[in-house]
Amino acid sequence: MKRFSVLLTVLLAGSLLFSHMALRAQEAEANYNEAKVPRYTLPEALVCLDGSAVADSQQWFARRRPEILKLFRDQVYGHAPGRPEDVSYRVVESGEAFDGLAVRKQVEIKLRQGGKKLSVGLLLYIPTERGKTGAPAILGLNFAGNHTLSDDPAIILNTNWMRPRKDSGIVDNRATEAARGTSSSRWPLETILRRGYAVASAYYGDIDPDFDDGFRNGVHALFDKRGGGGQRAADAWGSIGTWAWGLSRIMDYLETDSDIDHARVAVLGHSRLGKTSLWAGAQDQRFAMVISNNSGCGGAALSRRAFGETVARINESFPHWFCENFRQYDGRENSLPVDQHLLLSLIAPRPVYVASAEDDRWADPRGEFLALKNADPVYFLLSGDTLAAAAMPQVNQPVIGRMSYHLRSGGHDVTAYDWDKYLQWADRYIGRR
Ligand code: GCU
């Protein structure tokens, strides 16, 4: 048994290394030439499938919004189930953190369905100084375990499978003491706490491990129904759908925690987790604000531009992220009934922040800006606000408002610059009271 699991680990690590190398090769040969972006027409946000125009917010919420949501579920991310049959919460650890600046709480969220169960480990830091309704919070999944957010030794080491990281050797697929704090540059906890926000985070692999196993592990095991011949439905959820669903399950918990003001929770994510935060925010209107950090293809970037990563490439490299139907649009982006401006429109009128990085061409910064700009009609209809920039702003010239955008200098990452802007923006809408 042990030998078998070692063999499995080596095979998995080998195949991940191989796919990593294949991905780098794809990045090198992608289109980065504006002149070669195909001609396209975006689907109209305010025209229903039957051709009727949306004239007011009532029609948007009653007709067009559900229609667009269904298209994304049917064709892109797949359908997610509702809450599981049984849920329980247990505070497994708590204590003072950062010299009294915050309280740390670690909560086990146990989900049960059809005789199977899944545990998600939530890490919470809550500012000691908070108002009567509880602290506003920023919620985001993490890539490598809660223990990588900080070197706080009380953070429980995750025992689930970890995605091997470029910087830590290929078979590092278990959490180690050495990994403590290794993602701390992406999570400036003390800065966030000092500004009055709680931080809530969980390891995305607790919800669904990020590799293609035929949708058998993670939360898929609890819910997936196979038809004849073991086939999944073409609109069954992929991993992005599961991670977004997991964010909603964490929100269910936050609603029960009086230390948190659940009406003031922003959901944030980077890269594939940025795609996830957008999809979570689009579906679940309990999220007061949504942040997409360098989310790219399948996130904030327009698919029709086929700039950098394309639909065909993402489906080939990550066959487990989207639903099967999404593959129909490989190389056929123009026949997609949606594009990502409509995903951003689903968040309206709640504040949304799309952030790009100058050297992150794979994620198509211009495509991210254009998707946001093309969500203007819906934001205008519902709130009177639009993105306060007619053209793409210069590097490091953020545009901050209900619809926010910045293009940071540097590469694919979450940096102090990004956080500084997110917190400024959050202060306007959900900040200290
Ligand atoms: C790859 C992938 C992107 C994704 C990114 C990440 O680069 O092609 O779509 O956003 O990984 O999640 O880091």
Side-chain angles (χ1 to χ4, degrees):
M1 192 60 201
K2 185 141 189 237
R3 259 217 207 137
F4 178 70
S5 73
V6 169
L7 181 70
L8 205 68
T9 303
V10 170
L11 283 176
L12 193 62
S15 80
L16 281 165
L17 179 68
F18 182 75
S19 61
H20 177 69
M21 283 160 48
L23 201 64
R24 290 289 94 87
Q26 287 182 351
E27 284 180 28
E29 69 196 25
N31 176 46
Y32 298 116
N33 183 348
E34 263 319 306
K36 289 195 181 149
V37 168
R39 280 177 169 279
Y40 62 85
T41 311
L42 292 178
E44 295 250 13
L46 296 178
V47 179
C48 295
L49 289 174
D50 68 2
S52 60
V54 175
D56 56 32
S57 66
Q58 197 275 336
Q59 289 173 0
W60 167 259
F61 282 107
R63 290 199 56 198
R64 183 61 174 147
R65 189 176 187 282
E67 198 171 84
I68 296 174
L69 253 181
K70 183 169 181 327
L71 288 171
F72 275 107
R73 288 183 170 133
D74 289 349
Q75 307 296 329
V76 183
Y77 305 104
H79 287 255
R83 296 184 193 204
E85 284 161 4
D86 185 56
V87 179
S88 64
Y89 308 122
R90 191 165 65 95
V91 177
V92 281
E93 190 276 342
S94 68
E96 190 190 279
F98 307 121
D99 295 324
L101 175 66
V103 173
R104 181 191 53 254
K105 228 191 252 187
Q106 299 186 76
V107 183
E108 184 188 24
I109 300 181
K110 229 183 213 161
L111 309 168
R112 293 190 194 76
Q113 178 77 26
K116 298 189 183 130
K117 59 176 189 285
L118 183 86
S119 283
V120 177
L122 177 67
L123 172 66
L124 272 169
Y125 285 104
I126 306 157
T128 316
E129 267 183 51
R130 53 180 178 271
K132 277 206 201 73
T133 59
I138 300 186
L139 163 65
L141 297 176
N142 64 69
F143 280 98
N146 297 346
H147 59 286
T148 62
L149 267 59
S150 160
D151 52 16
D152 178 349
I155 304 178
I156 298 163
L157 277 190
N158 193 300
T159 54
N160 278 335
W161 177 88
M162 294 281 147
R163 189 160 68 105
R165 291 157 86 196
K166 281 175 255 171
D167 51 358
S168 58
I170 55 163
V171 290
D172 178 14
N173 60 0
R174 289 278 168 234
T176 59
E177 285 292 336
R180 285 193 184 280
T182 48
S183 306
S184 58
S185 68
R186 288 185 175 179
W187 296 91
L189 298 176
E190 291 175 67
T191 308
I192 305 168
L193 289 160
R194 251 185 233 109
R195 296 278 286 262
Y197 297 93
V199 178
S201 189
Y203 171 51
Y204 78 142
D206 281 3
I207 303 158
D208 191 32
D210 189 4
F211 60 88
D212 179 21
D213 77 324
F215 304 99
R216 301 206 176 262
N217 62 13
V219 70
H220 283 119
L222 272 63
F223 284 100
D224 265 20
K225 291 188 191 70
R226 311 250 164 182
Q231 285 291 314
R232 297 174 84 232
D235 63 359
W237 57 347
S239 294
I240 293 175
T242 65
W243 299 325
W245 179 90
L247 285 165
S248 290
R249 301 294 69 83
I250 294 173
M251 186 55 154
D252 297 343
Y253 164 75
L254 295 177
E255 287 187 321
T256 70
D257 188 329
S258 58
D259 292 338
I260 304 290
D261 183 348
H262 60 81
R264 292 189 289 157
V265 177
V267 61
L268 151 146
H270 169 59
S271 208
R272 66 197 69 183
L273 294 178
K275 310 181 206 298
T276 301
S277 66
L278 289 172
W279 183 225
Q283 296 180 93
D284 190 336
Q285 298 183 71
R286 292 175 298 171
F287 293 113
M289 312 172 70
V290 184
I291 303 169
S292 151
N293 192 91
N294 309 175
S295 63
C297 181
L302 289 177
S303 300
R304 279 170 170 73
R305 282 172 44 83
F307 185 104
E309 187 169 33
T310 61
V311 171
R313 287 202 161 94
I314 205 166
N315 279 330
E316 189 192 328
S317 315
F318 305 100
H320 57 297
W321 281 3
F322 299 89
C323 71
E324 188 67 31
N325 277 338
F326 195 41
R327 295 182 194 217
Q328 297 170 45
Y329 306 101
D330 288 1
R332 300 178 54 242
E333 289 85 352
N334 269 313
S335 51
L336 259 169
V338 289
D339 210 321
Q340 302 307 99
H341 63 306
L342 296 181
L343 182 69
L344 299 169
S345 301
L346 291 173
I347 298 165
R350 293 164 292 152
V352 63
Y353 202 130
V354 173
S356 312
E358 190 181 18
D359 302 335
D360 186 16
R361 295 184 309 160
W362 182 239
D364 187 13
R366 182 172 297 278
E368 296 190 311
F369 168 77
L370 288 172
L372 186 64
K373 192 65 203 154
N374 281 287
D376 266 358
V378 180
Y379 271 85
F380 186 72
L381 178 75
L382 303 181
S383 67
D385 292 336
T386 54
L387 179 65
M392 188 155 168
Q394 296 298 306
V395 178
N396 299 332
Q397 298 289 320
V399 178
I400 297 190
R402 183 178 296 276
M403 302 173 82
S404 293
Y405 178 83
H406 72 237
L407 175 67
R408 165 178 57 70
S409 50
H412 189 67
D413 200 356
V414 193
T415 68
Y417 178 93
D418 298 314
W419 274 104
D420 184 52
K421 306 298 166 257
Y422 299 152
L423 294 174
Q424 257 182 47
W425 166 75
D427 283 351
R428 285 199 193 181
Y429 300 96
I430 58 169
R432 217 177 239 138
R433 302 225 161 119

